[in-house]
Amino acid sequence: MHKIYSPDKNTWPALLQRPTQTVADIEGVVLDVFNEVKNQGDSAISAYTQKFDKVILDTIVVSAQEIDEAKNVVNSDLKEAIRLAKSNIEIFHSAQKTAKVSVETSNGVACWQEKRPIQKVGLYIPGGTAPLFSTILMLAVPATIAGCSEIVLCTPPNAEGKINPAILYTAELCGVTKIYKVGGIQAIAGMTFGTETIPQVYKIFGPGNQFVTVAKQLATKFGVAIDMPAGPSELLVVADDTADAAFIASDLLSQAEHGKDSQVLLVSTSKEMIELVEKEVDKQCASLPRKEIATAAIANSKLIYVENDEEALALINEYGPEHFIVCVADEDFYVDNITNAGSVFIGNYTPESAGDYASGTNHTLPTNGYAKQYSGVHLDSFMKAMTFQKISAVGIQQIGQAIELMAEAEGLQAHKNAVTLRLDSLK
Amino acid sequence: MHKIYSPDKNTWPALLQRPTQTVADIEGVVLDVFNEVKNQGDSAISAYTQKFDKVILDTIVVSAQEIDEAKNVVNSDLKEAIRLAKSNIEIFHSAQKTAKVSVETSNGVACWQEKRPIQKVGLYIPGGTAPLFSTILMLAVPATIAGCSEIVLCTPPNAEGKINPAILYTAELCGVTKIYKVGGIQAIAGMTFGTETIPQVYKIFGPGNQFVTVAKQLATKFGVAIDMPAGPSELLVVADDTADAAFIASDLLSQAEHGKDSQVLLVSTSKEMIELVEKEVDKQCASLPRKEIATAAIANSKLIYVENDEEALALINEYGPEHFIVCVADEDFYVDNITNAGSVFIGNYTPESAGDYASGTNHTLPTNGYAKQYSGVHLDSFMKAMTFQKISAVGIQQIGQAIELMAEAEGLQAHKNAVTLRLDSLK
């Protein structure tokens, strides 16, 4: 791992750079798939499923029977674990409900804000080696609490045309209304335009590879919203001498095993801790099944020594980590002053993997420095804040003249007229 | 105006289509400006200001002296109107503050959500014929309440290199920290990359022409967030026989005067009301200074008769209007059941222009059907929801096994290890 001691502030931008991604060159492929799916619907979906997933399906709709079979296949310990996680995620996201905000801004001028669900949402769950049923919990649970009436899930079939049972079990448990065996760019295109089979949705959520990421970006040009721009996963740990080096190394590695482009950083005011963590990483990494991936990610990663907590905080806020673990004596300093982080894990018994699965917080979080301006997925991600106003005769007499003056100053006479007519009717 | 009677549901998509925009052909221009500003900073800004705004400036920074002069120029009635509007907007947006959400999801597992301000935001205010100081109120007031530490404003200079005094007065009143005389694509590029003079921001807000709209879309590819995708302004009124045709016509025209591509719709269960409104629109339009614009917009617009309230509601939710005026006997039916609208105006004394200026609600709203999935600008638009979790030794013993099982089932051994190490240390 790279070790950096007391880096000068001028070097921070270079030091904190994420592993670069090249996106431009895959835009052409994505646009082609979008055009085909838009124009040819299901038949384009079938063709791309055959091409990319190497399977020909009679139907892309998952049947009730397949779901029943999945329920029997998933072992009961895992089911219980999933139900515990679901319960915690429900508790935390239900608590995020906001009441109607209602005020009388001037006498006779009632204004209120209400949040209403996005009616149709689409969830994308990648296939591949790891069946990410945990992401279904993170998306379908808040969608259900929000009251979304249509919750569609797309996930790629394997070479036998099947979906991992844990995915089907979790999807049904969490209130997904329809499951389709479609993956990759064609899944995002299908939910963007709708096909004979796949419904068009208003907002698409979920992780994916670079192709899916670019497809989601493109979807926004066709009137669909997305949860957030996605990038490789990342973790930053701040630790002093009170931390446990083995725990920290395990956290760094849990992030590093996600992908070769993952990035993990340790920031510490203790040179000893940096040495200890480095040794522990080497030791623990050797026995991981995904050792090769983790080793590559560790090569992108840095151990950074800084002189004091103020310097550490400034550097962390500059980076804006997706996951931020705080293992220091003075936790409050970091917790109170962190401005840019997706989710914060505090203390020696709060591994990042707790938030990935079962603490109750959401694991769909802003990467790539987006913690500076984006929230992670939360209940409001599935709702829209709408405003309402009702003005009485008294109310328009209170604020009407101000509107007339402002509309006139902006050169918008018809805006003024709409008030003048009403004021005149009350004379 | 086009009159349509009892349209069949199959015809709704065509009927409710917005005036089309062509965006693709201006992307090249926008990308060129972005590249120049990224590489050459201030000198590119100067060159484009000379090219597009026909003026050479010594400095693009608005001085304290210019602001002082503006304060003396704006007349006191207008100042008072702006202060009244500001007060109402403050009251409504302050009421949107949310408390920390804190729960214990399992014994020993504390999770909380806090909203923290986006530190650096950029506001874009167009120039042109109408000096939109009202939009400064709508953006800078909530940014200040949210606690954004840097609130940058860019607006184009006129041919004399000056900014409208009402813009400067309002910007200073609302806590804008820096004002720059830069407009169009180059302003968005400047705030995206930062220049020697213009600070880089994390999120850009505000309206603009098609060039600005495309520039904001492009900015999202460079790590900047935007308030929402923008389109031409629009208004839908639902009215029955209890409505006042003159008031409704004045509302339709106030939206129509925004631009030739604005769209206004009347949906009514009363054929008489449709006739009355049509006549009133013709009458009122004739005397408007922006008659030419309003007439063109009215040509895009429709008067739609439907059989009953249920049909009306379904059609309105399908359209998802930016502004929705409800002038009917049974207001509650529409207010309770509308799912897709930006802002709702209820009753005969609630003109849409009230929300544009002074009721307290925000006028930066989703157009183009985006009310289906986007909120208008509100307090949270300037904040990020961050999550925190602190798990005790008891807590990790509660949920640790579930995490281990789930991580293993997803094939992520290092995620499991991070928990196992901690559980072992407690044995």
Side-chain angles (χ1 to χ4, degrees):
Chain A
M1 298 178 85
H2 302 285
K3 285 181 276 186
I4 299 104
Y5 295 90
S6 306
D8 186 87
K9 205 161 179 173
N10 293 328
T11 68
W12 287 7
L15 178 65
L16 299 178
Q17 204 151 30
R18 269 85 175 173
T20 48
Q21 290 181 285
T22 49
V23 161
D25 39 326
I26 58 180
E27 280 185 353
V29 180
V30 173
L31 194 56
D32 287 347
V33 177
F34 266 57
N35 284 332
E36 296 260 325
V37 170
K38 186 180 179 183
N39 295 326
Q40 291 163 47
D42 281 348
S43 73
I45 298 278
S46 288
Y48 283 114
T49 300
Q50 190 176 352
K51 182 175 176 187
F52 295 129
D53 301 309
K54 316 288 179 208
V55 62
I56 300 173
L57 301 171
D58 289 337
T59 172
I60 57 171
V61 182
V62 172
S63 68
Q65 195 193 332
E66 285 174 285
I67 293 171
D68 282 342
E69 284 169 14
K71 282 192 230 176
N72 294 328
V73 172
V74 179
N75 81 56
S76 58
D77 285 349
L78 182 58
K79 280 185 193 166
E80 203 183 317
I82 291 172
R83 284 196 300 266
L84 171 70
K86 176 170 180 272
S87 166
N88 285 353
I89 295 164
E90 273 173 349
I91 291 169
F92 187 55
H93 289 77
S94 294
Q96 293 168 25
K97 281 184 194 166
T98 43
K100 173 173 161 178
V101 173
S102 188
V103 291
E104 194 174 17
T105 55
S106 286
N107 189 12
V109 181
C111 296
W112 65 100
Q113 181 203 56
E114 283 183 51
K115 294 187 182 146
R116 298 198 175 171
I118 298 173
Q119 290 171 289
K120 303 176 187 184
V121 298
L123 316 184
Y124 183 74
I125 303 295
T129 49
L132 298 182
F133 57 85
S134 62
T135 302
I136 303 173
L137 290 166
M138 297 297 173
L139 300 176
V141 167
T144 304
I145 296 168
C148 303
S149 49
E150 201 163 328
I151 306 171
V152 169
L153 188 150
C154 286
T155 189
N158 66 15
E160 287 79 47
K162 302 213 162 169
I163 308 291
N164 183 290
I167 286 185
L168 296 183
Y169 170 75
T170 309
E172 211 234 6
L173 182 72
C174 298
V176 170
T177 50
K178 283 274 183 203
I179 308 171
Y180 299 95
K181 298 176 185 174
V182 187
I185 309 168
Q186 62 271 27
I188 305 301
M191 293 191 282
T192 298
F193 300 114
T195 70
E196 303 89 318
T197 307
I198 305 170
Q200 186 179 35
V201 302
Y202 299 153
K203 189 169 182 178
I204 297 174
F205 296 78
N209 60 20
Q210 284 205 355
F211 291 95
V212 170
T213 299
V214 173
K216 282 173 65 188
Q217 279 172 352
L218 187 61
T220 65
K221 285 201 183 177
F222 295 97
V224 174
I226 61 170
D227 47 358
M228 71 191 82
S233 205
E234 60 197 29
L235 168 70
L236 187 149
V237 181
V238 64
D240 63 14
D241 283 322
T242 66
D244 182 306
F247 293 178
I248 289 174
S250 73
D251 292 327
L252 295 175
L253 285 167
S254 75
Q255 205 56 28
E257 78 173 337
H258 270 301
K260 291 182 180 180
D261 52 4
S262 296
Q263 190 178 46
V264 296
L265 300 176
L266 171 66
V267 175
S268 183
T269 51
S270 160
K271 289 179 185 171
E272 293 72 25
M273 184 55 62
I274 284 175
E275 298 302 321
L276 289 169
V277 169
E278 187 181 31
K279 284 199 192 91
E280 276 289 337
V281 166
D282 287 345
K283 189 174 120 192
Q284 294 182 26
C285 189
S287 57
L288 288 178
R290 292 166 74 98
K291 176 169 56 177
E292 198 198 338
I293 292 173
T295 305
I298 289 293
N300 291 326
S301 299
K302 285 154 189 156
L303 309 170
I304 304 171
Y305 169 80
V306 292
E307 304 284 340
N308 54 52
D309 287 336
E310 287 70 25
E311 190 83 351
L313 178 74
L315 184 121
I316 296 161
N317 275 326
E318 177 74 21
Y319 184 68
E322 179 192 14
H323 303 100
F324 175 37
I325 295 185
V326 180
C327 291
V328 296
D330 185 4
E331 294 170 350
D332 287 350
F333 174 76
Y334 289 95
V335 172
D336 294 346
N337 295 301
I338 182 76
T339 51
N340 302 325
S343 194
V344 184
F345 301 78
I346 304 156
N348 288 334
Y349 294 108
T350 314
E352 186 270 329
S353 52
D356 281 342
Y357 292 108
S359 66
T361 61
N362 209 291
H363 78 199
T364 306
L365 295 166
T367 56
N368 206 30
Y370 284 119
K372 290 173 182 167
Q373 65 269 76
Y374 287 94
S375 306
V377 165
H378 57 305
L379 183 63
D380 282 352
S381 306
F382 297 89
M383 310 190 85
K384 310 153 297 172
M386 289 166 56
T387 55
F388 299 81
Q389 54 239 286
K390 183 169 184 177
I391 303 178
S392 68
V394 170
I396 197 69
Q397 287 169 321
Q398 290 277 324
I399 66 170
Q401 204 195 349
I403 300 168
E404 290 179 312
L405 282 163
M406 291 171 75
E408 184 145 43
E410 288 193 350
L412 296 172
Q413 190 67 33
H415 282 65
K416 182 184 175 185
N417 283 359
V419 173
T420 307
L421 274 179
R422 283 158 166 106
L423 291 180
D424 286 348
S425 78
L426 294 167
K427 272 177 188 163
Chain B
M1 296 178 86
H2 303 285
K3 284 181 277 188
I4 299 103
Y5 294 91
S6 307
D8 186 86
K9 204 161 179 172
N10 293 328
T11 68
W12 288 7
L15 178 65
L16 299 178
Q17 204 152 28
R18 270 83 176 172
T20 48
Q21 290 182 283
T22 48
V23 161
D25 39 327
I26 56 180
E27 279 185 354
V29 180
V30 172
L31 194 56
D32 286 346
V33 177
F34 266 57
N35 284 333
E36 295 259 323
V37 170
K38 186 180 179 184
N39 295 326
Q40 291 164 46
D42 282 347
S43 73
I45 298 280
S46 288
Y48 284 113
T49 300
Q50 191 177 350
K51 183 175 175 187
F52 294 129
D53 301 308
K54 316 290 180 204
V55 61
I56 301 173
L57 301 171
D58 288 337
T59 173
I60 56 171
V61 183
V62 171
S63 68
Q65 196 194 330
E66 285 174 284
I67 294 171
D68 282 342
E69 283 168 14
K71 281 191 229 174
N72 294 327
V73 173
V74 179
N75 81 57
S76 58
D77 285 351
L78 182 58
K79 280 185 194 166
E80 203 182 317
I82 291 172
R83 284 196 300 266
L84 171 70
K86 176 170 179 271
S87 166
N88 285 354
I89 296 163
E90 273 173 349
I91 290 169
F92 187 56
H93 289 77
S94 294
Q96 294 169 23
K97 281 184 193 165
T98 44
K100 173 174 161 177
V101 173
S102 188
V103 291
E104 194 172 17
T105 55
S106 287
N107 188 13
V109 181
C111 296
W112 64 101
Q113 180 203 57
E114 283 183 50
K115 293 187 181 145
R116 298 197 175 172
I118 298 173
Q119 291 171 289
K120 302 176 189 186
V121 297
L123 316 183
Y124 183 74
I125 303 296
T129 48
L132 299 182
F133 57 86
S134 62
T135 302
I136 304 173
L137 289 166
M138 297 297 173
L139 300 176
V141 167
T144 304
I145 296 168
C148 303
S149 50
E150 202 163 328
I151 306 171
V152 169
L153 188 151
C154 286
T155 190
N158 66 14
E160 287 79 47
K162 301 213 162 170
I163 308 291
N164 184 289
I167 287 186
L168 296 183
Y169 169 75
T170 309
E172 212 234 6
L173 182 72
C174 297
V176 169
T177 49
K178 283 275 182 202
I179 309 171
Y180 299 95
K181 298 176 185 174
V182 187
I185 309 167
Q186 63 271 25
I188 305 301
M191 293 191 282
T192 299
F193 300 115
T195 69
E196 302 90 317
T197 306
I198 304 170
Q200 187 179 35
V201 302
Y202 299 152
K203 188 169 183 178
I204 297 175
F205 295 78
N209 59 19
Q210 285 204 353
F211 291 95
V212 170
T213 298
V214 173
K216 282 172 64 186
Q217 279 172 352
L218 187 61
T220 65
K221 285 201 183 176
F222 295 98
V224 174
I226 61 170
D227 45 1
M228 71 191 81
S233 205
E234 60 197 31
L235 168 69
L236 187 150
V237 181
V238 65
D240 64 14
D241 283 322
T242 67
D244 181 307
F247 293 177
I248 289 174
S250 74
D251 292 327
L252 295 175
L253 285 167
S254 75
Q255 205 56 28
E257 78 173 338
H258 270 300
K260 292 182 178 182
D261 53 3
S262 295
Q263 191 178 44
V264 296
L265 300 176
L266 171 65
V267 174
S268 183
T269 51
S270 161
K271 289 180 184 169
E272 293 71 26
M273 184 55 62
I274 284 176
E275 297 302 321
L276 289 169
V277 169
E278 187 181 31
K279 286 201 190 86
E280 275 289 337
V281 166
D282 288 345
K283 189 176 121 191
Q284 292 181 27
C285 189
S287 58
L288 288 179
R290 293 166 74 98
K291 178 170 53 179
E292 199 199 339
I293 294 173
T295 305
I298 289 294
N300 291 326
S301 299
K302 284 151 190 158
L303 308 170
I304 304 172
Y305 169 80
V306 292
E307 303 283 340
N308 54 52
D309 287 334
E310 287 70 24
E311 190 84 351
L313 179 74
L315 184 119
I316 295 162
N317 275 327
E318 177 75 20
Y319 185 68
E322 179 192 12
H323 303 100
F324 175 38
I325 295 185
V326 180
C327 291
V328 295
D330 185 4
E331 294 171 351
D332 287 350
F333 174 75
Y334 289 95
V335 172
D336 293 346
N337 295 302
I338 182 76
T339 51
N340 302 325
S343 195
V344 184
F345 302 78
I346 303 156
N348 288 333
Y349 294 108
T350 314
E352 186 270 328
S353 52
D356 281 343
Y357 292 109
S359 67
T361 61
N362 209 291
H363 78 200
T364 307
L365 295 166
T367 57
N368 206 28
Y370 284 119
K372 289 173 182 166
Q373 65 269 76
Y374 287 94
S375 306
V377 165
H378 58 304
L379 183 62
D380 282 353
S381 306
F382 297 90
M383 310 189 84
K384 308 154 299 172
M386 290 166 56
T387 54
F388 299 81
Q389 55 239 285
K390 184 169 183 174
I391 303 176
S392 67
V394 169
I396 196 69
Q397 287 168 321
Q398 290 277 323
I399 66 170
Q401 204 196 349
I403 300 168
E404 290 179 312
L405 282 163
M406 291 172 75
E408 185 144 42
E410 288 193 349
L412 296 172
Q413 190 66 36
H415 282 64
K416 181 184 177 187
N417 283 358
V419 172
T420 308
L421 274 180
R422 284 159 167 104
L423 291 180
D424 286 348
S425 79
L426 294 168
K427 272 175 188 163

